[in-house]
Amino acid sequence: MLYLWLKAFHIISIVCWFAGLFYLPRLFVYHAQSEDSVSKERFSLMERKLYRGIMGPAMIATLIFGGWLISLNPSGYFSQGWMHVKLTLVILLIGYHHMCGAQVKRFARGENKRSHVFYRWFNEVPVVFLLAIVILAVVKPF
């Protein structure tokens, strides 16, 4: 029963984390398009609160619950190739998360050098991660 509770909380954490990973770059698009100081300050505040208040805790919860799940059956998971690929993608996703955090700080300092078009493409990165991770976890192709 513990396993099912952990799995449920792991999935809830993933959903919250990805909600932030999808929304924060969208805020970057709008922030990069804004021209007045009131809008720029508002977007900086929204970005900071989303990153620190939702995305960070959700990422940590995802990692804790995922690690706990693995600890219940380490040899079963680590003997499967799909898990190695999934964990590699999770590590890369953590890097993307931190890239978002660095961008939040650049926007807050008024140092953004990229256009809204860049952020529209940047916004698609977590979609690719989500598709790959879910397919690996459900289909377990190898």
Side-chain angles (χ1 to χ4, degrees):
M1 192 61 151
L2 173 64
Y3 182 84
L4 295 177
W5 279 103
L6 292 174
K7 192 173 187 179
F9 286 122
H10 181 60
I11 292 168
I12 291 166
S13 301
I14 291 167
V15 169
C16 294
W17 187 23
F18 268 95
L21 289 170
F22 290 146
Y23 187 50
L24 184 61
R26 178 56 47 184
L27 288 175
F28 294 161
V29 170
Y30 302 139
H31 197 157
Q33 289 178 317
S34 66
E35 296 180 6
D36 61 291
S37 62
V38 173
S39 294
K40 289 180 181 188
E41 289 174 23
R42 182 178 303 124
F43 284 121
S44 284
L45 178 65
M46 292 170 67
E47 292 158 359
R48 189 188 77 227
K49 285 185 175 186
L50 177 61
Y51 186 75
R52 290 184 185 168
I54 296 172
M55 291 173 63
M59 179 188 69
I60 291 167
T62 298
L63 298 174
I64 288 171
F65 290 123
W68 199 348
L69 286 168
I70 289 172
S71 75
L72 295 177
N73 187 11
S75 62
Y77 283 121
F78 285 119
S79 64
Q80 300 175 34
W82 66 269
M83 180 58 83
H84 293 274
V85 176
K86 179 186 170 202
L87 292 175
T88 300
L89 291 174
V90 170
I91 290 167
L92 293 172
L93 190 62
I94 292 168
Y96 178 83
H97 174 99
H98 289 291
M99 286 173 62
C100 286
Q103 191 56 47
V104 166
K105 292 176 183 175
R106 278 193 285 280
F107 268 119
R109 292 189 308 259
E111 297 174 357
N112 176 52
K113 304 287 187 223
R114 297 186 170 122
S115 73
H116 67 94
V117 175
F118 170 84
Y119 295 113
R120 288 182 194 280
W121 285 103
F122 186 71
N123 192 40
E124 301 306 321
V125 172
V127 174
V128 175
F129 279 101
L130 180 65
L131 290 171
I133 290 169
V134 169
I135 289 169
L136 286 166
V138 173
V139 177
K140 298 175 176 67
F142 46 90

